[in-house]
């Protein structure tokens, strides 16, 4: 699992939302930091254990609030799914404010995922795991789910959190850029 994330240009570190969740398909964690990142920003991940089955995804969000983050506690769930293709309900995220972005990650051991609910954006199209984001405009709880193809998902684990916009009256934050490291594996 990731035990810390530090960065230079600007210097600082990211905080973890909750403690993450460990399931049969890796460790799902979410870290955050309020910074102005540039192409010169360098990140250093500190990990414990072998690092197998872990995924790291960075989201750089423009228009997020500089204080009061995150906007929810960490929602987590894990289990084993052997059902045929279809929908797998995972966890619900309940924000405190009425405008922002929810970030979600779900690792699945088998099959493939093709979409994420609520009707947000699935950020991967080349992996069985699922990363997605959803712009919210109320404090209503949002149930996250994944649509799976092929076999059941097998062992799975997921986590998600909300991050509020700079003003609850403004539009949801936009994604400025994203850096993704798929399937960070060390032997």
């Amino acid at each position: 699992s990731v035990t810390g994330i530090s960065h230079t240009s600007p210097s600082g570190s990211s905080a973890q939302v909750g403690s993450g969740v460990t399931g049969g398909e890796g460790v799902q964690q979410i870290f955050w930091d309020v910074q102005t990142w540039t192409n010169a920003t360098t990140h250093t991940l500190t990990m414990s254990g072998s690092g197998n089955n872990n995924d790291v995804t960075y989201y750089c969000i423009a228009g997020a609030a500089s204080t009061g983050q995150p906007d929810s506690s960490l929602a987590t769930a894990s289990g084993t799914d052997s059902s045929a293709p279809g929908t797998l309900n995972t966890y619900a995220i309940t924000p405190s404010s009425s405008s922002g972005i929810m970030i979600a990650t779900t690792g699945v051991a088998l099959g493939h995922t093709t979409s994420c609910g609520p009707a947000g954006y699935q950020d991967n199209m080349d992996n069985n795991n699922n990363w997605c984001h959803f712009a919210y405009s109320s404090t209503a709880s949002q149930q996250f789910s994944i649509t799976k193809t092929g076999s059941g998902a097998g062992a799975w684990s997921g986590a998600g959190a909300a991050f509020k916009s700079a003003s609850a009256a403004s539009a949801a934050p936009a994604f400025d850029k994203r850096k993704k490291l798929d399937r960070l594996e060390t032997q």
Side-chain angles (χ1 to χ4, degrees):
S1 67
V2 176
T3 58
I5 301 174
S6 61
H7 49 84
T8 59
S9 297
S11 62
S13 62
S14 299
Q16 185 173 355
V17 181
S19 59
V21 61
T22 302
E25 183 55 26
V27 179
Q28 308 301 321
Q29 301 168 278
I30 294 180
F31 287 78
W32 69 277
D33 188 15
V34 176
Q35 290 291 336
T36 302
W37 292 352
T38 69
N39 287 337
T41 303
T42 302
H43 294 84
T44 302
L45 278 69
T46 304
M47 299 183 71
S48 65
S50 67
N52 288 334
N53 296 321
N54 294 323
D55 301 299
V56 174
T57 304
Y58 287 110
Y59 292 90
C60 296
I61 302 170
S66 60
T67 60
Q69 300 288 14
D71 197 31
S72 72
S73 59
L74 185 68
T76 62
S78 63
T80 303
D81 171 66
S82 59
S83 64
T87 301
L88 172 64
N89 288 319
T90 55
Y91 41 84
I93 301 172
T94 305
S96 297
S97 72
S98 61
S99 180
I101 296 269
M102 293 178 180
I103 305 291
T105 175
T106 302
V108 297
L110 303 171
H112 295 281
T113 64
T114 59
S115 65
C116 174
Y121 298 94
Q122 182 173 349
D123 299 321
N124 62 299
M125 294 298 178
D126 60 348
N127 199 304
N128 58 329
N129 296 332
N130 189 282
W131 304 279
C132 65
H133 66 277
F134 172 73
Y136 61 93
S137 58
S138 77
T139 58
S141 180
Q142 297 293 326
Q143 175 66 50
F144 277 74
S145 62
I146 57 173
T147 302
K148 52 199 171 74
T149 63
S151 65
W156 65 272
S157 58
F163 298 90
K164 68 181 173 180
S165 66
S167 168
S170 70
F175 284 87
D176 185 25
K177 65 178 183 176
R178 186 188 80 186
K179 295 180 182 178
K180 183 168 104 175
L181 304 173
D182 286 332
R183 308 261 331 144
L184 177 63
E185 295 189 23
T186 57
Q187 301 298 325

